[in-house]
Structures are given as structure tokens and as C-alpha cells.
Amino acid sequence: MRYLWKEWRDHRAVVLGIALAIPSLLFLARLLLPENMVADPLLPQVAALGTLAIALLAFGTDLVPGEARRGRLTFLARLPGGLPAAFRAKAVFFLLVLAVAPLYGFAAGACFSGWPDEGLGFASDYALLLLCAAPWIFAVSCWLPRGALALPATALVLGTFAVPIYLLHLATPTYYPLETDIMTGAVLLGIGALPIAWLSFTRGYRHGGTFLSAGWRGLAASLVLLIPAYGYTGYRMHEWDTVDPKSENFRVISVFTGDNERYLFANAKMVLRHGRQERLHALIVDTRSGTWRRAGTVFNRHVGIWLAVPARVVDIIDPGSATRDEHDPKRTKYWTRYFDADTAERFTGGWSNVVNDKVWARVAASRPAWHGSGSRVCRLGLGYLVQGPQGRWQIADPVRERVYDAPPKMGWPTVLREGWLFHKNKRYVLRDPDTGKERPLGLSGNCCGVLHDGRVLVRHGKGVRVIDLTTGAEAAMPDVVSASWIRDDIYRVQRDGASSIDRIDPEQDRFEVLLRKAGRPIVTTRSILFIEDDRSVRRMELATRKITTLFP
Amino acid sequence: MIQAHGIVKRFRRKSVLSELDLSLAPGRVTVLLGRNGSGKSTLLKLCLGLLKADLGTLSVCGFDPSKRARPVRQAVGYVPDMPDCYRWMTAADLFGFLKPQYPTWNDDEAARLGQALEVPLRTPFSGMSRGEGMKAMLVAALAPQPELLLLDEPFAGLDAVAREEVLRAVIGSLRDGERTVLCTTHDLDVAARIADDVAVLSGGRIDAHGPLTEVLETERCLPERMKDLLVGAQA
């Protein structure tokens, strides 16, 4: 306590000076500044931060250099308590000042503008960072002959210490630390500065040591302290950039494949920090060898399998290519790059997705892609919806072997042999795309699929019916609540709350269950690929219904 | 009380103490003589643990001061060549600050000495004369009733009256042979009045050590002028 009293006596003039200066400054601000600025609820928070910063500069930079400047270190060193007792008092005094200063500044500010509802508000975050930096300023000041140098020197030292971590981040640009990581690191580093300051002061200045001996001891101790920080950061970066399909933290999100099923284009993620952090990875799996590789870096993902084939095709067959997006965190741009689904090689040639059309887009490597490069395609019954040049939507109709501009404000039709099926005023109409003539069908509900024989599946109420638009014949599908088309004769079917993947039997007009639990299925000509329990990609051969695991 | 063997102390490349051997028996008052820069103050700081010897062994009151500084400092009273405490401190502040650190601190002794030496208790050191400051430092060094008293040229820069007062206080504190004193001084008159033994520090080592009269008989290295002065003072 006597040492603490000594610190108080040594610095009470400065403490009292600050205590008087803060309200005086606020009073002057009230006189000189517009009232709305002084009455701003941010004023107490700004005052709290300002007072903390002033206290930090006044005491953090001078507690030790001031002692050396006044030549009192020898006096302290020759007493039985020695330098350790003096250090303890300085550290406690400094921490007390840091604790009291923001509260005092806040209270002073509140006297002028009223007590803000949010309390310390934004100031608490900055105050915490300042408080974490404060022990470093105190520690670095032990290494210097002049306290005025402490602030730039601390910035230099912390900046130098941060270089390896920065370089690690450069090597892993997608990494983002959790806020708790940052705060934990800052608090630990702040606390860690206190033993460094202790070592610098008590060991550096004993036996006649100078600020130089304090400095090299402090720097050496800092490096020792930082080695675990560097190690931990390196470990986190390595963990961040690592994919381990056998890990408990591995999850499969979605998967795509070409018709030959040679390669899987899987989006997967590693769940870290008990689910608080996730990394996405785009993987390409060779289904023959079981080997896999990453496509791009963390957060790249496969967007989908696109209905397109290389240039000058005569018909649209699906699928032709898989794609993935690359996200550049620096420029926040998206690049679309393409892979040939059959070879898993980068696809940079031209292609078309319209019958007998010329090449619309040529996508070069690393070139930012323009959405609507002529390759966005989706099925519309027997036809396709494509986005052509300049983003113009078109409907490719294989029945009529023509490409039509999509009719405006009519929604997307279902292309049938009889014409295009539109939903109009809650009723379906059949439109001839060549003449524009429309025929009301008296049919309500939602069209959810087209069979090979041209009949349509319509969901109405709580049931699904098969309707022949030519003859008007209808057949109800027993037990089926809803159905959504996936591909060919494969549907996702809902029955009394249970979902399954079914194949429709057009002869019997009924669904046949193929898979009861099938997450995000991909249907090819031969099989259904599905994700089981978010952990593995499995395949069911349609012919034999044999299920095998493809990955991992 | 002090056992030093083969003490070597360098400051950068400059060797200050070289193979120094010194042994102080309890209860003896030893005056350490030597030229400026001969290492007298360095030796005292080594004894107090303020410096660490590069080589050699040193024992003060049974402890190595570089490793066990606290018991050494609690057993040793030290008076620097000028007041080294905070200038805002008063003598009362200084005594209050030091008291908890010395288990053997004696308030009565502090009061008695303060009164005897007319130390102004309520005046900050910044307002004291050099003599008053040195008397306060002497009281602070003697109040814990130390076994060993280290005086680092305490009489330097004092006027004749102040020097006499401090000298009387030192002589009065010797407690009839109970306290060991090691005093460095240039003041040969002082040396002649208080010294049981004289140690001559020259070339980084103790060149002669023994009772004053013996050293005067045998001393060859001491400049003749100093010898004459010592003899004159003794007479």
C-alpha cells in the first residue's frame, strides 16, 4: 500500500489535472458547439473514450520512463522491496486509472447530455481494444528512455508482431476469424503484456540495467509469448484450408454429376468451432478411383449442372457441363468457371443451349462471367427456357423445332405437344405459340410434370391427377398429395407428410417408391444420387435398385 | 560481515574491480580509500545487490546480495552520496514509506536521531539543504538498526558544520562495536576520526587493508600527500 500511496503522490497532480480538464473541455464544448452536438447521446461515450485515451497516454507512457528520468530507479532498487514491489504498485495504479478513467469521462459527459439509454454503447468495444493495448504501451515504455516514444514504439512493435499473422492471413485470404477469436486474442495479448512489463522492469533495470537491457528482455519475452499465438493462428489457417471427408465435421451439402456419372461435383463443408464457423469447399470426385480434389479455394461452390453442350449442337441434351462460382473476397466479384461434367476439365470453349443455334458465349479462363451469357437453361415441360443474348428470355420448343421469345407478363408455360400450357386467372389455357390462339381448358391446380406420352400431372387440392389434354381423360393418383418432377419419369412425391423419390408407371397411372429418405437427389439416366445423413453421397441404380456409396 | 573473493566487475570494456578480495570483521569501522573512479561506490553497490559481479563470490551478512537481495537490504543501512529519494517527500514521508519494509525499524530511534540531528520532518527534500537531506538519509539508514552500515561518501559537499553533525551521528551510531561500518570517503580527517581499519582500493583491488596505523606504516602505493595528510589528521 505504501508503494501505491507513493504512486498516487507522484502522479496526483496529473490525475487531478485530467479530472478537472475533462469537465472543463465539455463545458467549453457546450459553450462553443451547437446544442444538438453537445446533447448528442454519443457525447458520454466519446468522453469516456477520450478520457481513457488521455489517461492511457499520460500514465501508460510515463510511469516507468518518468521514474528513470527523475533518477529514482536506484532509490527504488536499493530498498528491500526492490523493483518488484515498485512494479506491482505501478501496475495496480495504472489498472485503477484505466478502470476509473472511462467511467469518469462517461459520467462527466452524461452530466452535459443526459444518461444515454445504451450505456457505454459503441465505446465499450473501442474501450476494450484500448484496454488491451494499454498494457503493451506500459510494457514498451519500460524499454524506452522517453515516454513520448512509447506510443509509436508500441505501434511499431505490435505491427511487427502482427506481420507473421498477417502473412498467414494473406496465404489464406478467405479466412475470417470469429469475433470471439479476436476478442480472446486481444485480451490474452493484453494480459500477456503485463508479465512482459514485469520482466522488463524488474529484470531489465536490476543490477544497474538500463532501458536497453529492459528492451531486449521484453522483446525476447514477447516473442516467447507470441510463439503460441503464431502457432495457434497457423493451426487455425491449416484447419481452415483442410478438407477431411473422414472427419466428424465433414458435411455434404449438394452434389451434381454428368450422365456418365464419372465425376461428382460436390459442395461440402467443414463445421468448426462447434458449429459457429463453417467452410465451404467445392470438390470434384472421381467415382472410379474414389480420389477427390478441390476446385478452387474455400468458399468456392458448384452452382449447378447446366443444360448445355459444346457449340453447334442439334438438340439440347442434359446435362453437358457443371459449373462452380469463385468468390474473390478482395474484390467481391464472382467469377463463373466451367467444368465439363464428363471429363472434369476446365471448359473454356463456346457452347449453345438452343437448338441449331450458333455459339453465344465464349468464356475465357479467369474472366468475370456475365450472368446471362447464353447458358442459363431450365426445363419447361417438353421444352426449355433459356436466357439468350442480352439476357433475353427465350423458349426452345423441340416439338415445333423453333425458338420463341418468351411471352411477356404471362409467366413461364409448360411446353406440350398440344401447345403451351399457361396459368391464367387461376385456370389453365392452352396456347398455340405460332398463332397465339388460346383455348381454355377448365383446368385448375398446378401442372407438376409431363409424361412421355404427353399427358400432364396436375396437382389440385390434396391430390394429383393425370390428364390427357387431347381426350380429356383423367386418372387420380391414389394417396399422393403432391408431386414435383425431377427428371424423365422420376418425381419427388409427398404422401401424408412423408416424402419419397418415386418413378411413375404410365401404364398403371401410379407412383412406385424408389427411395424413402433421399436428400437432394440428382437423377441421371441410370441412377439416382442422393446424400445420406449429410455425410455421404450414395447411388441407387434404377435398373437393379442396388445402393452403393460413392463418396467418401 | 562482508566476504568478497575474486570480485571482478566491468562496465563494458572498462574493468573497475579486478580480483578484489575483502573481508570485514563484525563491529569494525572500515574506511575505504581510493582515487576517483577506483571502484569504491561500485563495491558498495555490489554489497547492496544494486550491481552484480561478473566474477567472484560476495557474501554480505551471510547472503549473496545478487541472489538474496531482500535479507541483505533489510540488514544493511545505506547512505548515498546525496539524497536519492523523491523530492516531494518529507522526512516523515520517507520514514513512513520505509518503515513497512524493515522488520527491525525502530520509531523511537528514528525520532531520537531526528531530534538529535534536528531533521525537519515536515519539509520536503526539495526544500531542505544538502546537509539536512543527508541527515535525514542517515536517520532513515539507522532507524532499522542495521547490522551493517554502508556510507557512500556521505560527507562530500557538506559544509563544516553539517559535516560535523553527520560525523557525530555516525560515531554515535556505532553502538560500541556492535555495528559494522564500511565508509567510502575522500575526507581524510573523517577517516582518521572513525576508522578502525583502512582499506585502500587501487587498480581494482584492495592494495592494503588493516588498522590505520599499520597501513600507514606499510603502505607504499598511497600517494605521499595522502599519507602526510592522514598522519597530520591523526596527530
Side-chain angles (χ1 to χ4, degrees):
Chain A
M1 284 303 288
R2 276 282 157 182
Y3 278 92
L4 200 56
W5 164 83
K6 193 276 294 178
E7 291 300 330
W8 161 248
R9 283 297 311 271
D10 225 7
H11 297 99
R12 67 180 178 182
V14 182
V15 172
L16 294 173
I18 293 174
L20 288 174
I22 295 301
S24 303
L25 284 172
L26 290 169
F27 179 72
L28 278 177
R30 189 174 186 181
L31 283 181
L32 301 175
L33 296 177
E35 194 174 342
N36 61 337
M37 286 185 72
V38 181
D40 194 308
L42 288 178
L43 187 70
Q45 299 167 11
V46 174
L49 276 181
T51 311
L52 177 60
I54 290 170
L56 181 56
L57 289 177
F59 299 105
T61 62
D62 193 60
L63 279 173
V64 174
E67 205 77 82
R69 191 174 61 247
R70 291 190 294 269
R72 301 294 169 240
L73 280 176
T74 307
F75 171 68
L76 294 172
R78 73 175 175 82
L79 300 179
L83 294 173
F87 177 82
R88 282 194 294 273
K90 287 182 185 301
V92 169
F93 180 76
F94 185 47
L95 294 176
L96 280 175
V97 165
L98 292 181
V100 171
L103 299 177
Y104 178 78
F106 184 84
C111 290
F112 287 92
S113 68
W115 196 269
D117 294 335
E118 66 267 35
L120 269 174
F122 83 97
S124 58
D125 289 341
Y126 290 103
L128 188 58
L129 287 178
L130 275 178
L131 290 174
C132 292
W136 279 102
I137 294 173
F138 180 47
V140 172
S141 75
C142 298
W143 312 344
L144 300 166
R146 291 282 182 276
L149 299 173
L151 204 59
T154 304
L156 183 68
V157 167
L158 290 182
T160 307
F161 289 162
V163 165
I165 291 176
Y166 176 69
L167 291 178
L168 284 169
H169 271 276
L170 277 188
T172 318
T174 55
Y175 176 78
Y176 66 94
L178 291 172
E179 191 178 345
T180 51
D181 280 348
I182 295 173
M183 295 316 293
T184 306
V187 169
L188 286 178
L189 278 180
I191 293 171
L194 286 175
I196 289 169
W198 177 85
L199 189 78
S200 304
F201 184 74
T202 62
R203 293 292 182 264
Y205 289 104
R206 76 170 179 174
H207 299 152
T210 64
F211 66 90
L212 289 175
S213 56
W216 78 255
R217 279 181 170 83
L219 281 169
S222 303
L223 285 176
V224 170
L225 176 80
L226 285 167
I227 283 172
Y230 293 154
Y232 180 71
T233 307
Y235 163 73
R236 295 279 288 122
M237 301 291 169
H238 172 73
E239 182 190 48
W240 182 258
D241 217 27
T242 301
V243 186
D244 180 8
K246 297 211 166 93
S247 164
E248 280 291 309
N249 300 321
F250 182 77
R251 305 280 187 281
V252 181
I253 301 168
S254 58
V255 66
F256 309 103
T257 187
D259 260 357
N260 67 0
E261 300 177 11
R262 171 67 196 275
Y263 295 98
L264 299 179
F265 297 84
N267 290 317
K269 67 182 178 184
M270 295 292 287
V271 180
L272 303 174
R273 329 297 292 167
H274 307 291
R276 289 185 298 145
Q277 207 171 32
E278 292 182 346
R279 294 162 296 141
L280 304 183
H281 296 280
L283 308 179
I284 297 175
V285 182
D286 185 336
T287 55
R288 283 189 195 164
S289 63
T291 57
W292 57 272
R293 64 186 165 93
R294 287 171 54 182
T297 58
V298 176
F299 289 129
N300 286 180
R301 62 192 171 91
H302 298 296
V303 174
I305 198 85
W306 290 27
L307 308 180
V309 290
R312 288 183 287 282
V313 292
V314 294
D315 199 352
I316 295 172
I317 56 170
D318 47 331
S321 296
T323 71
R324 65 183 171 87
D325 270 357
E326 282 191 358
H327 176 219
D328 181 346
K330 285 182 189 167
R331 285 171 282 187
T332 61
K333 282 182 181 172
Y334 287 86
W335 275 261
T336 303
R337 295 180 183 174
Y338 303 88
F339 290 87
D340 188 311
D342 292 339
T343 63
E345 297 297 326
R346 287 285 297 278
F347 181 81
T348 56
W351 62 30
S352 171
N353 46 29
V354 175
V355 184
N356 295 327
D357 199 6
K358 293 179 182 176
V359 174
W360 278 350
R362 179 175 291 277
V363 182
S366 302
R367 176 182 162 198
W370 163 60
H371 274 295
S373 57
S375 49
R376 298 179 71 171
V377 183
C378 67
R379 290 293 292 262
L380 295 174
L382 299 177
Y384 300 89
L385 176 70
V386 299
Q387 193 175 22
Q390 287 83 47
R392 193 172 53 173
W393 290 103
Q394 295 181 313
I395 295 171
D397 188 337
V399 179
R400 289 154 198 86
E401 295 189 335
R402 277 191 59 189
V403 177
Y404 300 87
D405 284 338
K409 299 178 183 176
M410 292 188 69
W412 307 131
T414 304
V415 177
L416 303 174
R417 283 176 311 191
E418 294 85 353
W420 293 1
L421 193 63
F422 277 105
H423 217 205
K424 202 171 184 181
N425 298 327
K426 299 183 180 177
R427 294 277 171 181
Y428 275 109
V429 297
L430 199 60
R431 176 192 176 104
D432 185 329
D434 294 322
T435 64
K437 287 180 66 177
E438 292 179 358
R439 175 164 63 95
L441 294 177
L443 183 67
S444 60
N446 289 304
C447 180
C448 51
V450 181
L451 274 59
H452 284 302
D453 58 13
R455 291 184 298 166
V456 294
L457 275 173
V458 177
R459 189 179 69 200
H460 183 75
K462 288 190 174 178
V464 174
R465 290 176 293 165
V466 183
I467 301 173
D468 188 330
L469 292 176
T470 307
T471 64
E474 290 187 21
M477 308 288 283
D479 305 329
V480 175
V481 175
S482 71
S484 53
W485 177 78
I486 299 175
R487 179 178 174 171
D488 298 336
D489 53 355
I490 308 296
Y491 289 78
R492 179 181 287 282
V493 171
Q494 198 79 26
R495 290 186 184 85
D496 295 330
S499 174
S500 60
I501 306 300
D502 289 31
R503 178 156 54 189
I504 194 164
D505 181 353
E507 302 295 325
Q508 305 286 327
D509 288 342
R510 67 180 182 84
F511 284 110
E512 173 191 14
V513 176
L514 297 175
L515 284 166
R516 293 207 179 275
K517 285 185 178 178
R520 288 149 280 173
I522 294 288
V523 180
T524 70
T525 53
R526 291 177 294 160
S527 55
I528 302 173
L529 272 57
F530 60 98
I531 298 167
E532 190 169 77
D533 298 332
D534 291 340
R535 290 187 182 273
S536 60
V537 181
R538 309 198 77 191
R539 172 171 63 191
M540 189 182 84
E541 291 182 21
L542 290 171
T544 63
R545 299 202 182 182
K546 183 183 171 189
I547 295 176
T548 53
T549 300
L550 291 179
F551 177 73
Chain B
M1 191 58 65
I2 294 178
Q3 300 290 332
H5 297 290
I7 296 294
V8 174
K9 181 62 188 174
R10 296 188 193 91
F11 292 104
R12 296 182 185 274
R13 290 182 179 178
K14 184 185 176 188
S15 179
V16 176
L17 298 180
S18 174
E19 301 281 335
L20 180 140
D21 294 319
L22 179 66
S23 178
L24 294 192
R28 303 284 290 177
V29 177
T30 305
V31 170
L32 192 59
L33 294 171
R35 300 179 65 181
N36 285 336
S38 60
K40 301 186 296 295
S41 295
T42 300
L43 181 59
L44 260 57
K45 287 177 178 172
L46 284 170
C47 291
L48 212 53
L50 291 174
L51 294 174
K52 186 180 181 185
D54 298 323
L55 285 173
T57 57
L58 179 63
S59 170
V60 177
C61 302
F63 300 101
D64 181 346
S66 68
K67 292 175 182 166
R68 302 285 309 279
R70 178 182 279 268
V72 170
R73 289 171 190 165
Q74 284 180 335
V76 174
Y78 174 72
V79 180
D81 55 351
M82 61 170 57
D84 61 350
C85 66
Y86 295 86
R87 290 175 59 77
W88 51 261
M89 277 185 170
T90 63
D93 287 339
L94 177 65
F95 300 161
F97 181 60
L98 296 179
K99 181 182 172 182
Q101 304 194 47
Y102 293 94
T104 55
W105 183 275
N106 188 327
D107 278 328
D108 295 336
E109 180 76 354
R112 187 186 66 76
L113 283 170
Q115 202 168 15
L117 291 172
E118 297 178 349
V119 173
L121 291 175
R122 301 294 167 193
T123 306
F125 274 84
S126 59
M128 289 186 196
S129 68
R130 186 184 175 95
E132 287 173 328
M134 288 307 296
K135 284 190 281 185
M137 298 306 288
L138 184 62
V139 173
L142 290 171
Q145 299 177 297
E147 298 172 43
L148 173 65
L149 185 63
L150 300 178
L151 305 172
D152 190 0
E153 303 191 26
F155 312 104
L158 298 183
D159 62 45
V161 176
R163 191 189 70 160
E164 189 59 29
E165 286 175 346
V166 173
L167 189 57
R168 284 177 189 278
V170 171
I171 293 170
S173 73
L174 296 181
R175 296 197 302 182
D176 299 329
E178 288 180 18
R179 180 167 291 143
T180 309
V181 178
L182 177 61
C183 175
T184 69
T185 182
H186 291 298
D187 193 328
L188 300 173
D189 174 50
V190 168
R193 286 177 65 181
I194 66 171
D196 296 325
D197 296 324
V198 170
V200 180
L201 188 55
S202 175
R205 62 186 69 191
I206 300 295
D207 217 36
H209 182 205
L212 182 60
T213 49
E214 287 181 20
V215 171
L216 291 177
E217 290 299 321
T218 58
E219 176 55 41
R220 293 186 303 275
C221 301
L222 203 60
E224 284 300 315
R225 185 164 164 270
M226 182 179 277
K227 191 174 179 179
D228 292 343
L229 282 170
L230 278 171
V231 172
Q234 197 176 34

